[in-house]
Amino acid sequence: MALGHGTCHQGFTGPDVTGMELNGAVHSNATERVATSSLESDGQETGELTTERLIEIAISSDGPSAPRQHHVVPRFYLDAWAVDKMVRVTDLGVSPRHSYRVKPSQAARVRDFYRVESPDIDPGEIPPLLFETILGEIEGSASPIVNELVSGEDISPEEVAQFSWYLGFQATRGRSFREDSGFFASEAVKIQFSGMTDDAIRKRLEESGTEPTDEAIASAREFVDGIQSGKYFASPQHAQQVGLSGQLAVIVGSTFMFRNWRVFKACAPLTTCDEPVVVIGGPTCSRRRDPGYGTSGVVVFPLGPAHLLAMFHPDLELDQLAMIPDLLPSEVAEINLDVAAASSRWVIERGDMSMTSHLTLPWANPAAARDVLNGVGPRGGELHHFFGNSRWHLSGNPPPWPVARWWANQTARSYLHPIEPDPELVAEFDRADYAAWD
């Protein structure tokens, strides 16, 4: 864990503080587990590459000439928006907004974004480019499936599973997931050390084998108080964030397999962004909060400028009007607004267009927040609810949910039951890790 002052790995340290372990820390072998999970489903290999072979490829790919700029969305995916080999990118993270044309190979990139390096990790077991190599294999399997979906072909159950994994990794590989995981980690530290007395600090130090001198207790007290005040900020190491994104990608992806899939044809050009797996809650959800992958009415993914994959909650009551396969220009505009709102920084469209440079959209709010409900259970405990803020968190008049015909038959009880991920997958991870997904 990295702090504003001092660093920690398996546990944490503050200014001259030692021995106080952080419960629920992300495991350093996360990326190794991701390598196995991404290749296997229900005990059967879904690809030809073994984990050992992936490690060999990652090691051989590293070196002075290894690419340092990593795509947060695949290049093959961005190629669909290319006109004359160029796409238009609008940067919503700067003021004034910057809009420019660029080759897909140079769009939506972050330096060393997936490079896995840490003092806790043996590069011989988990090479720095392992996660980037895993993403490349998943993208290679997804590319032909995109073509099949766009052409209207039926895809097999195996391809549904493969594409669900791809979407799961796309949902967790970007900046938004890392911002959320950093917030969760910091808030978890605050909760863990809330109300900690000097006697409790002394006991913690003794349990860790550290002599509880007056100086050690005072230093620990300064650190604990600094965490509560915001002077110190806890967040996972970069390598831990990469590994955790892969762990939860498998869980998130498993929820997509239980949804009802439909490909819609757009009567006007669709845009995409650096977070293209877009969660749309529907009337039972607040427009000011980001819905969950398991409870949202629909999850959409632009397959290209002319086709949209919509994955509906199985409890939704969808009539023939809702399933008309053509999206009207007004409906496309609504979808494009939600796609832009889901972006972390970059919105992408066809190279011969400039719609995104004229977007009216609120600035992104803090990535996540926490509510506390007191008096829970027979012992009167606390329930901490973590949730994401949408761009309309502070808006007095947020827009309606897109594509009104999807929601025409919905009531307040249409889809209250969340889609549960595969319990065998969840069982592989700590409860603390799964709580971050929920």
Side-chain angles (χ1 to χ4, degrees), residues 141-167 256-257 259-263 301 303 309-311:
S141 298
S143 179
I145 300 175
V146 170
N147 295 333
E148 292 174 15
L149 290 169
V150 167
S151 64
E153 298 178 31
D154 292 332
I155 62 175
S156 68
E158 291 77 14
E159 289 175 314
V160 170
Q162 287 182 343
F163 204 67
S164 294
W165 301 140
Y166 165 72
L167 293 175
F256 298 148
M257 290 189 290
R259 289 180 170 270
N260 297 323
W261 292 23
R262 182 66 177 250
V263 175
F301 178 74
L303 296 167
L309 173 63
M311 297 173 286

Side-chain angles (χ1 to χ4, degrees), residues 161-185:
Q162 287 182 343
F163 204 67
S164 294
W165 301 140
Y166 165 72
L167 293 175
F169 274 85
Q170 187 59 69
T172 63
R173 67 188 281 181
R175 294 175 184 265
S176 293
F177 176 85
R178 296 197 186 180
E179 291 174 359
D180 287 347
S181 63
F183 176 82
F184 295 151

Side-chain angles (χ1 to χ4, degrees), residues 77 80-81 88 263-273 300-309 327-329 331-337 339 347-351 353 355-356 403 406:
Y77 175 70
W81 278 266
R88 176 170 291 278
V263 175
F264 290 84
K265 186 174 181 180
C267 295
L270 290 161
T271 61
T272 190
C273 70
V300 301
F301 178 74
L303 296 167
H307 295 86
L308 180 78
L309 173 63
L327 293 173
L328 298 174
E331 294 172 333
V332 172
E334 294 167 355
I335 291 289
N336 284 343
L337 184 63
V339 169
V347 185
I348 299 148
E349 63 181 316
R350 281 178 17 178
M353 305 193 72
M355 293 185 300
T356 57
V403 193
W406 289 348

Side-chain angles (χ1 to χ4, degrees), residues 150-316:
V150 167
S151 64
E153 298 178 31
D154 292 332
I155 62 175
S156 68
E158 291 77 14
E159 289 175 314
V160 170
Q162 287 182 343
F163 204 67
S164 294
W165 301 140
Y166 165 72
L167 293 175
F169 274 85
Q170 187 59 69
T172 63
R173 67 188 281 181
R175 294 175 184 265
S176 293
F177 176 85
R178 296 197 186 180
E179 291 174 359
D180 287 347
S181 63
F183 176 82
F184 295 151
S186 181
E187 292 299 296
V189 173
K190 287 184 180 181
I191 294 169
Q192 184 175 350
F193 294 104
S194 176
M196 180 170 280
T197 63
D198 285 358
D199 286 341
I201 291 175
R202 180 180 291 105
K203 184 178 179 180
R204 278 290 188 95
L205 293 173
E206 289 174 344
E207 290 174 347
S208 67
T210 302
E211 184 179 357
T213 63
D214 291 344
E215 292 78 10
I217 293 173
S219 181
R221 164 57 57 196
E222 194 271 334
F223 170 71
V224 169
D225 291 346
I227 283 287
Q228 300 298 327
S229 68
K231 181 179 179 180
Y232 304 128
F233 179 81
S235 69
Q237 292 181 8
H238 173 84
Q240 291 174 325
Q241 287 183 317
V242 173
L244 181 58
S245 70
Q247 287 179 257
L248 295 184
V250 177
I251 296 177
V252 171
S254 74
T255 69
F256 298 148
M257 290 189 290
F258 297 102
R259 289 180 170 270
N260 297 323
W261 292 23
R262 182 66 177 250
V263 175
F264 290 84
K265 186 174 181 180
C267 295
L270 290 161
T271 61
T272 190
C273 70
D274 52 4
E275 305 282 353
V277 181
V278 181
V279 182
I280 299 175
T284 65
C285 300
S286 169
R287 200 65 162 113
R288 292 176 172 83
R289 293 187 179 182
D290 290 332
Y293 291 106
T295 56
S296 60
V298 62
V299 179
V300 301
F301 178 74
L303 296 167
H307 295 86
L308 180 78
L309 173 63
M311 297 173 286
F312 294 99
H313 194 289
D315 291 346
L316 278 182

